[in-house]
Amino acid sequence: MSMYQVKPIYEGGTKIDLPTCMYKLPNVHEQRASSCFSEHAHQNGEPDSAVRALEARQDEIMRKLFELKAAVDGLAKTVATPDADLDLTVSCSLASPSPTACTFTGTADLDTLLGKDLGALRDIVINANPAQPPLTLLVLHGLLCQRYRVLSAVHVHSSVSGVPPQLLSCLGARLTDGSARNLFQLGFTLIWKDVPKLQMKFSVRNMCPVEGEANVARFLFRLLSPDPSDVGQATLVDSWVDTAFFQLAEGGAKEQAAALRSLNAALGRQPWLTGPELSLADIACYCCAVRSGAAAAAPTHVQRWMKACENLGYFSRAQLQ
């Protein structure tokens, strides 16, 4: 006997009808109609409020998991680097774009250059000696901030002391809004450390350091613009970068004078060193001329060119001395 069936009651041979409410069977047709209506509502984009609440909760959980993954990835990279014994976090900033933007033709894409890195911030960590500030890299950092969302930080290592204030704020104003790492595309960390030669690590856990300011500058500039397709043009840029560091920055008085004459001759024919557009050659030569003091005795075309560089706001980062 079904749980919904009710046995009739007879008294004196007469059937007694019980009140209908006591044994009313559930209306299967009504349930099916209700189910069909609910299914029809879902098909017409009208989900139940409970379903909407569940979907919203799931989205919130996924968002928090994504932020947690980005934070853990960032912590793992920090712990894995041998420079984790940092004494002081000086600043963490999202540098604002310079007043005058510089656009490069054929601007590079991070995923194309570096491969896709879902959910993790691409970290660039640079060790530099405060006695030799990497002016070229500071200018390139300003350009990177125009192209990408860059989370910047300056640290002081225990091997140095008495770092000048202008070096502590060389990457821009401090970021105080507590933005999550996953909101940025690049992490740019500068560590003032007693090292004989500038070092850079990218994706800190699994690469050997790149040494030398010129080599690091070439790497950073490729994040802004790919190498020229013309081999001759690419060679010309490399030649000027070598001139900047080996003659202007590290050479004696005669070598510096010879480099300035070469600069003056090239700039007498065109506005920038390698043609109509600014390139890494201009950035390297300008910064090395400023660092060595050779710019004070620069000939006419070089002086005009330096003024043109200074009219671009991000070159102000090289004025630390």
Side-chain angles (χ1 to χ4, degrees), residues 128-182:
N129 196 317
Q132 298 177 327
L135 304 184
T136 305
L137 306 190
L138 301 184
V139 174
L140 288 170
H141 171 266
L143 286 168
L144 287 171
C145 289
Q146 293 182 354
R147 176 67 177 88
Y148 306 108
R149 298 186 302 277
V150 182
L151 180 63
S152 308
V154 177
H155 299 286
V156 177
H157 191 265
S158 57
S159 60
V160 300
S161 60
V163 177
Q166 63 269 28
L167 298 185
L168 302 181
S169 58
C170 61
L171 297 186
R174 184 171 183 175
L175 181 67
T176 58
D177 63 359
S179 298
R181 284 172 59 91
N182 64 292

Short mmCIF file of all heavy atoms in Angstrom, two decimals, residues 128-182:
data_model
loop_
_atom_site.label_atom_id
_atom_site.label_comp_id
_atom_site.label_asym_id
_atom_site.label_seq_id
_atom_site.Cartn_x
_atom_site.Cartn_y
_atom_site.Cartn_z
N ALA A 128 72.76 47.03 -7.77
CA ALA A 128 73.62 48.10 -8.27
C ALA A 128 74.36 48.75 -7.12
O ALA A 128 73.82 48.87 -6.00
CB ALA A 128 72.79 49.15 -9.02
N ASN A 129 75.57 49.19 -7.40
CA ASN A 129 76.38 49.87 -6.40
C ASN A 129 75.99 51.35 -6.36
O ASN A 129 76.01 52.01 -7.40
CB ASN A 129 77.86 49.72 -6.73
CG ASN A 129 78.75 50.04 -5.56
OD1 ASN A 129 78.53 51.01 -4.84
ND2 ASN A 129 79.78 49.22 -5.36
N PRO A 130 75.65 51.89 -5.18
CA PRO A 130 75.26 53.31 -5.13
C PRO A 130 76.38 54.27 -5.51
O PRO A 130 76.13 55.43 -5.83
CB PRO A 130 74.82 53.50 -3.67
CG PRO A 130 75.48 52.40 -2.92
CD PRO A 130 75.57 51.25 -3.86
N ALA A 131 77.61 53.78 -5.51
CA ALA A 131 78.73 54.63 -5.95
C ALA A 131 78.71 54.84 -7.45
O ALA A 131 79.32 55.79 -7.96
CB ALA A 131 80.06 54.01 -5.52
N GLN A 132 78.01 53.97 -8.19
CA GLN A 132 77.88 54.08 -9.65
C GLN A 132 76.42 53.88 -10.04
O GLN A 132 76.03 52.82 -10.54
CB GLN A 132 78.77 53.05 -10.35
CG GLN A 132 80.25 53.22 -10.08
CD GLN A 132 81.07 52.12 -10.72
OE1 GLN A 132 80.63 50.98 -10.84
NE2 GLN A 132 82.28 52.46 -11.16
N PRO A 133 75.58 54.87 -9.81
CA PRO A 133 74.15 54.71 -10.12
C PRO A 133 73.92 54.41 -11.60
O PRO A 133 74.51 55.05 -12.47
CB PRO A 133 73.56 56.08 -9.74
CG PRO A 133 74.55 56.70 -8.81
CD PRO A 133 75.89 56.20 -9.26
N PRO A 134 73.09 53.45 -11.92
CA PRO A 134 72.84 53.09 -13.33
C PRO A 134 71.85 54.05 -13.98
O PRO A 134 70.66 53.77 -14.10
CB PRO A 134 72.26 51.67 -13.21
CG PRO A 134 71.56 51.67 -11.88
CD PRO A 134 72.38 52.56 -10.99
N LEU A 135 72.35 55.19 -14.44
CA LEU A 135 71.47 56.24 -14.97
C LEU A 135 70.68 55.75 -16.18
O LEU A 135 69.51 56.11 -16.35
CB LEU A 135 72.31 57.46 -15.35
CG LEU A 135 73.18 58.07 -14.24
CD1 LEU A 135 73.87 59.34 -14.75
CD2 LEU A 135 72.35 58.39 -13.01
N THR A 136 71.31 54.93 -17.02
CA THR A 136 70.60 54.42 -18.20
C THR A 136 69.38 53.62 -17.80
O THR A 136 68.31 53.74 -18.39
CB THR A 136 71.54 53.54 -19.03
OG1 THR A 136 72.72 54.27 -19.34
CG2 THR A 136 70.88 53.09 -20.31
N LEU A 137 69.51 52.81 -16.76
CA LEU A 137 68.40 51.97 -16.33
C LEU A 137 67.29 52.79 -15.69
O LEU A 137 66.11 52.43 -15.79
CB LEU A 137 68.89 50.91 -15.35
CG LEU A 137 70.06 50.03 -15.82
CD1 LEU A 137 70.27 48.86 -14.86
CD2 LEU A 137 69.83 49.52 -17.23
N LEU A 138 67.63 53.89 -15.06
CA LEU A 138 66.60 54.75 -14.48
C LEU A 138 65.75 55.40 -15.57
O LEU A 138 64.53 55.52 -15.43
CB LEU A 138 67.25 55.82 -13.59
CG LEU A 138 68.09 55.31 -12.41
CD1 LEU A 138 68.58 56.47 -11.56
CD2 LEU A 138 67.30 54.32 -11.56
N VAL A 139 66.40 55.83 -16.65
CA VAL A 139 65.65 56.40 -17.77
C VAL A 139 64.77 55.33 -18.42
O VAL A 139 63.59 55.57 -18.72
CB VAL A 139 66.62 57.00 -18.82
CG1 VAL A 139 65.86 57.45 -20.06
CG2 VAL A 139 67.38 58.18 -18.21
N LEU A 140 65.32 54.13 -18.59
CA LEU A 140 64.53 53.05 -19.19
C LEU A 140 63.37 52.65 -18.29
O LEU A 140 62.30 52.28 -18.77
CB LEU A 140 65.44 51.84 -19.46
CG LEU A 140 66.43 52.02 -20.62
CD1 LEU A 140 67.43 50.88 -20.65
CD2 LEU A 140 65.69 52.13 -21.94
N HIS A 141 63.56 52.72 -16.99
CA HIS A 141 62.45 52.44 -16.08
C HIS A 141 61.30 53.42 -16.31
O HIS A 141 60.13 53.03 -16.32
CB HIS A 141 62.94 52.53 -14.63
CG HIS A 141 61.83 52.47 -13.63
ND1 HIS A 141 61.24 53.61 -13.11
CD2 HIS A 141 61.17 51.42 -13.06
CE1 HIS A 141 60.28 53.26 -12.26
NE2 HIS A 141 60.21 51.95 -12.21
N GLY A 142 61.63 54.69 -16.52
CA GLY A 142 60.58 55.67 -16.81
C GLY A 142 59.83 55.35 -18.08
O GLY A 142 58.61 55.50 -18.16
N LEU A 143 60.55 54.86 -19.10
CA LEU A 143 59.90 54.48 -20.35
C LEU A 143 59.04 53.23 -20.17
O LEU A 143 57.95 53.12 -20.75
CB LEU A 143 60.96 54.23 -21.42
CG LEU A 143 61.63 55.49 -21.98
CD1 LEU A 143 62.85 55.12 -22.81
CD2 LEU A 143 60.65 56.30 -22.82
N LEU A 144 59.50 52.28 -19.37
CA LEU A 144 58.72 51.07 -19.12
C LEU A 144 57.40 51.41 -18.42
O LEU A 144 56.37 50.78 -18.68
CB LEU A 144 59.52 50.09 -18.26
CG LEU A 144 60.68 49.37 -18.96
CD1 LEU A 144 61.52 48.60 -17.95
CD2 LEU A 144 60.16 48.42 -20.03
N CYS A 145 57.45 52.40 -17.55
CA CYS A 145 56.23 52.80 -16.84
C CYS A 145 55.21 53.44 -17.78
O CYS A 145 54.02 53.47 -17.47
CB CYS A 145 56.58 53.78 -15.71
SG CYS A 145 57.44 53.01 -14.33
N GLN A 146 55.67 53.96 -18.91
CA GLN A 146 54.73 54.48 -19.91
C GLN A 146 54.10 53.36 -20.70
O GLN A 146 52.98 53.50 -21.20
CB GLN A 146 55.46 55.43 -20.87
CG GLN A 146 55.93 56.72 -20.23
CD GLN A 146 56.61 57.63 -21.24
OE1 GLN A 146 56.81 57.25 -22.38
NE2 GLN A 146 56.93 58.83 -20.82
N ARG A 147 54.80 52.25 -20.84
CA ARG A 147 54.33 51.16 -21.69
C ARG A 147 53.54 50.10 -20.91
O ARG A 147 52.60 49.52 -21.41
CB ARG A 147 55.54 50.51 -22.39
CG ARG A 147 55.21 49.29 -23.23
CD ARG A 147 54.38 49.67 -24.43
NE ARG A 147 54.14 48.50 -25.27
CZ ARG A 147 53.12 47.65 -25.12
NH1 ARG A 147 52.27 47.82 -24.13
NH2 ARG A 147 52.97 46.63 -25.95
N TYR A 148 53.96 49.83 -19.66
CA TYR A 148 53.37 48.76 -18.86
C TYR A 148 52.96 49.27 -17.48
O TYR A 148 53.35 50.37 -17.07
CB TYR A 148 54.37 47.60 -18.67
CG TYR A 148 54.94 47.06 -19.95
CD1 TYR A 148 56.27 47.31 -20.31
CD2 TYR A 148 54.17 46.28 -20.81
CE1 TYR A 148 56.80 46.81 -21.49
CE2 TYR A 148 54.69 45.77 -21.99
CZ TYR A 148 56.01 46.04 -22.32
OH TYR A 148 56.53 45.56 -23.49
N ARG A 149 52.20 48.44 -16.77
CA ARG A 149 51.90 48.72 -15.37
C ARG A 149 53.03 48.11 -14.53
O ARG A 149 53.14 46.89 -14.42
CB ARG A 149 50.54 48.11 -14.97
CG ARG A 149 49.38 48.69 -15.76
CD ARG A 149 48.03 48.18 -15.24
NE ARG A 149 47.95 46.72 -15.29
CZ ARG A 149 47.62 46.03 -16.37
NH1 ARG A 149 47.36 46.67 -17.52
NH2 ARG A 149 47.55 44.71 -16.34
N VAL A 150 53.87 48.98 -13.97
CA VAL A 150 55.10 48.54 -13.32
C VAL A 150 55.01 48.77 -11.82
O VAL A 150 54.76 49.89 -11.36
CB VAL A 150 56.33 49.31 -13.89
CG1 VAL A 150 57.61 48.81 -13.23
CG2 VAL A 150 56.41 49.14 -15.40
N LEU A 151 55.23 47.71 -11.05
CA LEU A 151 55.32 47.80 -9.60
C LEU A 151 56.80 47.95 -9.25
O LEU A 151 57.59 47.02 -9.43
CB LEU A 151 54.73 46.55 -8.95
CG LEU A 151 54.76 46.52 -7.42
CD1 LEU A 151 53.92 47.65 -6.84
CD2 LEU A 151 54.29 45.17 -6.90
N SER A 152 57.19 49.12 -8.75
CA SER A 152 58.60 49.45 -8.55
C SER A 152 58.94 49.47 -7.06
O SER A 152 58.11 49.86 -6.24
CB SER A 152 58.92 50.82 -9.16
OG SER A 152 58.49 50.87 -10.50
N ALA A 153 60.15 49.06 -6.75
CA ALA A 153 60.60 49.07 -5.35
C ALA A 153 62.09 49.32 -5.28
O ALA A 153 62.85 48.90 -6.16
CB ALA A 153 60.26 47.74 -4.68
N VAL A 154 62.52 50.04 -4.23
CA VAL A 154 63.94 50.29 -3.97
C VAL A 154 64.27 49.71 -2.60
O VAL A 154 63.54 49.95 -1.63
CB VAL A 154 64.27 51.80 -3.98
CG1 VAL A 154 65.73 52.04 -3.64
CG2 VAL A 154 63.93 52.40 -5.34
N HIS A 155 65.35 48.92 -2.53
CA HIS A 155 65.78 48.32 -1.27
C HIS A 155 67.24 48.70 -1.00
O HIS A 155 67.98 49.04 -1.92
CB HIS A 155 65.67 46.79 -1.31
CG HIS A 155 64.28 46.29 -1.55
ND1 HIS A 155 63.30 46.31 -0.59
CD2 HIS A 155 63.70 45.74 -2.64
CE1 HIS A 155 62.19 45.79 -1.07
NE2 HIS A 155 62.41 45.45 -2.33
N VAL A 156 67.62 48.62 0.26
CA VAL A 156 69.02 48.83 0.66
C VAL A 156 69.53 47.54 1.28
O VAL A 156 68.93 47.01 2.22
CB VAL A 156 69.15 49.99 1.66
CG1 VAL A 156 70.59 50.14 2.11
CG2 VAL A 156 68.66 51.28 1.02
N HIS A 157 70.63 47.02 0.75
CA HIS A 157 71.22 45.78 1.25
C HIS A 157 72.10 46.09 2.45
O HIS A 157 72.59 47.21 2.62
CB HIS A 157 72.03 45.12 0.12
CG HIS A 157 72.45 43.72 0.43
ND1 HIS A 157 73.67 43.43 0.96
CD2 HIS A 157 71.80 42.53 0.28
CE1 HIS A 157 73.78 42.13 1.13
NE2 HIS A 157 72.66 41.55 0.72
N SER A 158 72.31 45.07 3.28
CA SER A 158 73.11 45.27 4.49
C SER A 158 74.57 45.57 4.20
O SER A 158 75.30 46.01 5.09
CB SER A 158 73.01 44.02 5.37
OG SER A 158 73.44 42.87 4.64
N SER A 159 75.02 45.36 2.96
CA SER A 159 76.42 45.60 2.63
C SER A 159 76.73 47.07 2.39
O SER A 159 77.91 47.43 2.26
CB SER A 159 76.80 44.80 1.37
OG SER A 159 75.99 45.19 0.27
N VAL A 160 75.74 47.93 2.32
CA VAL A 160 75.98 49.37 2.11
C VAL A 160 75.27 50.17 3.20
O VAL A 160 74.33 49.70 3.84
CB VAL A 160 75.49 49.84 0.72
CG1 VAL A 160 76.21 49.09 -0.38
CG2 VAL A 160 73.99 49.64 0.59
N SER A 161 75.73 51.37 3.37
CA SER A 161 75.11 52.28 4.35
C SER A 161 75.22 53.70 3.84
O SER A 161 76.06 54.02 2.98
CB SER A 161 75.80 52.15 5.71
OG SER A 161 77.17 52.48 5.61
N GLY A 162 74.37 54.56 4.34
CA GLY A 162 74.44 55.97 3.97
C GLY A 162 74.09 56.24 2.52
O GLY A 162 74.75 57.05 1.87
N VAL A 163 73.06 55.58 1.99
CA VAL A 163 72.64 55.82 0.62
C VAL A 163 71.97 57.19 0.53
O VAL A 163 71.09 57.51 1.32
CB VAL A 163 71.66 54.72 0.15
CG1 VAL A 163 71.15 55.00 -1.25
CG2 VAL A 163 72.33 53.36 0.20
N PRO A 164 72.38 58.04 -0.43
CA PRO A 164 71.80 59.39 -0.54
C PRO A 164 70.29 59.35 -0.78
O PRO A 164 69.78 58.41 -1.41
CB PRO A 164 72.52 59.98 -1.76
CG PRO A 164 73.78 59.19 -1.87
CD PRO A 164 73.45 57.82 -1.41
N PRO A 165 69.56 60.35 -0.29
CA PRO A 165 68.09 60.35 -0.43
C PRO A 165 67.62 60.28 -1.88
O PRO A 165 66.61 59.64 -2.17
CB PRO A 165 67.69 61.68 0.21
CG PRO A 165 68.81 62.03 1.14
CD PRO A 165 70.04 61.48 0.50
N GLN A 166 68.36 60.93 -2.80
CA GLN A 166 67.91 60.92 -4.20
C GLN A 166 67.96 59.51 -4.80
O GLN A 166 67.23 59.20 -5.75
CB GLN A 166 68.72 61.89 -5.06
CG GLN A 166 70.20 61.58 -5.18
CD GLN A 166 71.02 62.28 -4.10
OE1 GLN A 166 70.52 62.56 -3.03
NE2 GLN A 166 72.28 62.59 -4.44
N LEU A 167 68.81 58.65 -4.26
CA LEU A 167 68.85 57.27 -4.74
C LEU A 167 67.74 56.43 -4.14
O LEU A 167 67.34 55.41 -4.72
CB LEU A 167 70.21 56.63 -4.43
CG LEU A 167 71.44 57.27 -5.08
CD1 LEU A 167 72.69 56.46 -4.76
CD2 LEU A 167 71.25 57.39 -6.58
N LEU A 168 67.26 56.82 -2.99
CA LEU A 168 66.18 56.07 -2.36
C LEU A 168 64.83 56.32 -3.04
O LEU A 168 63.92 55.50 -2.93
CB LEU A 168 66.07 56.45 -0.88
CG LEU A 168 67.33 56.23 -0.04
CD1 LEU A 168 67.08 56.61 1.41
CD2 LEU A 168 67.80 54.79 -0.14
N SER A 169 64.72 57.43 -3.74
CA SER A 169 63.45 57.76 -4.41
C SER A 169 63.62 57.81 -5.93
O SER A 169 62.84 58.46 -6.62
CB SER A 169 62.93 59.11 -3.91
OG SER A 169 63.88 60.14 -4.13
N CYS A 170 64.64 57.13 -6.45
CA CYS A 170 64.98 57.26 -7.87
C CYS A 170 63.97 56.60 -8.80
O CYS A 170 63.99 56.87 -10.00
CB CYS A 170 66.37 56.69 -8.13
SG CYS A 170 66.50 54.93 -7.73
N LEU A 171 63.07 55.77 -8.27
CA LEU A 171 62.07 55.12 -9.12
C LEU A 171 60.70 55.77 -9.00
O LEU A 171 59.72 55.22 -9.49
CB LEU A 171 61.97 53.63 -8.78
CG LEU A 171 63.22 52.79 -9.03
CD1 LEU A 171 62.92 51.32 -8.79
CD2 LEU A 171 63.78 53.01 -10.43
N GLY A 172 60.64 56.92 -8.38
CA GLY A 172 59.36 57.61 -8.30
C GLY A 172 58.78 57.62 -6.91
O GLY A 172 59.35 57.07 -5.96
N ALA A 173 57.61 58.24 -6.79
CA ALA A 173 56.95 58.39 -5.51
C ALA A 173 56.49 57.04 -4.99
O ALA A 173 56.18 56.12 -5.75
CB ALA A 173 55.77 59.34 -5.62
N ARG A 174 56.40 56.94 -3.68
CA ARG A 174 56.01 55.68 -3.04
C ARG A 174 54.54 55.40 -3.26
O ARG A 174 53.69 56.27 -3.20
CB ARG A 174 56.31 55.75 -1.55
CG ARG A 174 56.03 54.44 -0.82
CD ARG A 174 56.53 54.49 0.60
NE ARG A 174 56.33 53.22 1.28
CZ ARG A 174 56.76 52.95 2.50
NH1 ARG A 174 57.42 53.86 3.17
NH2 ARG A 174 56.53 51.77 3.05
N LEU A 175 54.24 54.12 -3.53
CA LEU A 175 52.87 53.68 -3.73
C LEU A 175 52.28 53.29 -2.38
O LEU A 175 52.83 52.44 -1.68
CB LEU A 175 52.82 52.49 -4.69
CG LEU A 175 51.45 51.92 -5.03
CD1 LEU A 175 50.65 52.92 -5.83
CD2 LEU A 175 51.60 50.62 -5.80
N THR A 176 51.16 53.90 -1.98
CA THR A 176 50.62 53.69 -0.64
C THR A 176 49.22 53.11 -0.64
O THR A 176 48.63 52.94 0.42
CB THR A 176 50.59 55.02 0.13
OG1 THR A 176 49.80 55.97 -0.62
CG2 THR A 176 51.98 55.57 0.33
N ASP A 177 48.66 52.77 -1.79
CA ASP A 177 47.28 52.29 -1.80
C ASP A 177 47.16 50.78 -1.64
O ASP A 177 46.07 50.23 -1.68
CB ASP A 177 46.58 52.73 -3.09
CG ASP A 177 47.22 52.11 -4.34
OD1 ASP A 177 48.21 51.38 -4.18
OD2 ASP A 177 46.70 52.36 -5.44
N GLY A 178 48.30 50.08 -1.42
CA GLY A 178 48.25 48.66 -1.16
C GLY A 178 47.73 47.82 -2.31
O GLY A 178 47.06 46.81 -2.11
N SER A 179 48.01 48.20 -3.52
CA SER A 179 47.52 47.47 -4.68
C SER A 179 48.10 46.06 -4.73
O SER A 179 49.25 45.83 -4.36
CB SER A 179 47.88 48.21 -5.97
OG SER A 179 47.27 49.48 -6.00
N ALA A 180 47.29 45.10 -5.16
CA ALA A 180 47.72 43.71 -5.25
C ALA A 180 48.69 43.54 -6.41
O ALA A 180 48.61 44.23 -7.42
CB ALA A 180 46.51 42.81 -5.43
N ARG A 181 49.61 42.59 -6.26
CA ARG A 181 50.62 42.36 -7.28
C ARG A 181 50.03 41.97 -8.62
O ARG A 181 50.58 42.28 -9.67
CB ARG A 181 51.58 41.26 -6.81
CG ARG A 181 52.58 41.72 -5.76
CD ARG A 181 53.37 40.53 -5.21
NE ARG A 181 54.08 39.82 -6.23
CZ ARG A 181 55.34 40.08 -6.61
NH1 ARG A 181 55.99 41.08 -6.06
NH2 ARG A 181 55.93 39.36 -7.54
N ASN A 182 48.89 41.27 -8.58
CA ASN A 182 48.33 40.78 -9.85
C ASN A 182 47.76 41.90 -10.71
O ASN A 182 47.36 41.66 -11.84
CB ASN A 182 47.26 39.74 -9.58
CG ASN A 182 46.06 40.31 -8.84
OD1 ASN A 182 46.17 40.67 -7.68
ND2 ASN A 182 44.93 40.38 -9.50
#
